Amino acid sequence: QVQLVESGGGLVQPGGSLRLSCVASGTIYQINLMAWYRQAPGKGRELVADITRGGVTDYAAFVKGRFTISRDNANHTTYLQMSSLKAEDTGVYYCRADVVEPGYRVVPYWGKGTLVTVSS
């Protein structure tokens, strides 16, 4: 009943910036944690950043100081602002949302991902 759609990926030069968006839609009472993960070719999926409903953020060490996660609770949206991008940031970026559904069950949902390529 819930789907997440990411957007904003693309090709960017090293040192450049990009903003990713993720919008959740469907039957939603509220969303608890929202997060961004990424997966480089041949690698496992890793957490990039997450944000609580109240706006408390956490970042992976490799993006701290360069990326900023934010959210808009009214629109069930999270953003990942990426700056000072490096080649090693290349990968598919996935959005995750812990959705409170009817009956107050918390269900994790994943988007299908958006590709970010950092290359000169």
Side-chain angles (χ1 to χ4, degrees), residues 21-105:
S21 300
C22 170
V23 180
S25 61
T27 304
I28 300 169
Y29 284 132
Q30 69 175 45
I31 300 175
N32 292 339
L33 194 76
M34 301 188 82
W36 288 95
Y37 291 73
R38 73 185 186 190
Q39 188 167 22
K43 304 292 184 180
R45 189 172 297 185
E46 61 183 355
L47 178 66
V48 175
D50 58 42
I51 182 168
T52 70
R53 180 170 176 81
V56 178
T57 60
D58 191 45
Y59 297 91
F62 51 82
V63 303
K64 194 170 298 183
R66 300 188 297 123
F67 292 10
T68 300
I69 188 171
S70 61
R71 64 188 289 170
D72 179 352
N73 290 336
N75 294 298
H76 301 315
T77 302
T78 185
Y79 305 94
L80 185 67
Q81 177 66 51
M82 305 184 293
S83 300
S84 301
L85 283 162
K86 307 173 181 179
E88 53 262 43
D89 294 319
T90 294
V92 178
Y93 283 69
Y94 297 91
C95 177
R96 169 185 163 177
D98 293 342
V99 176
V100 182
E101 296 190 329
Y104 306 106
R105 295 197 313 161

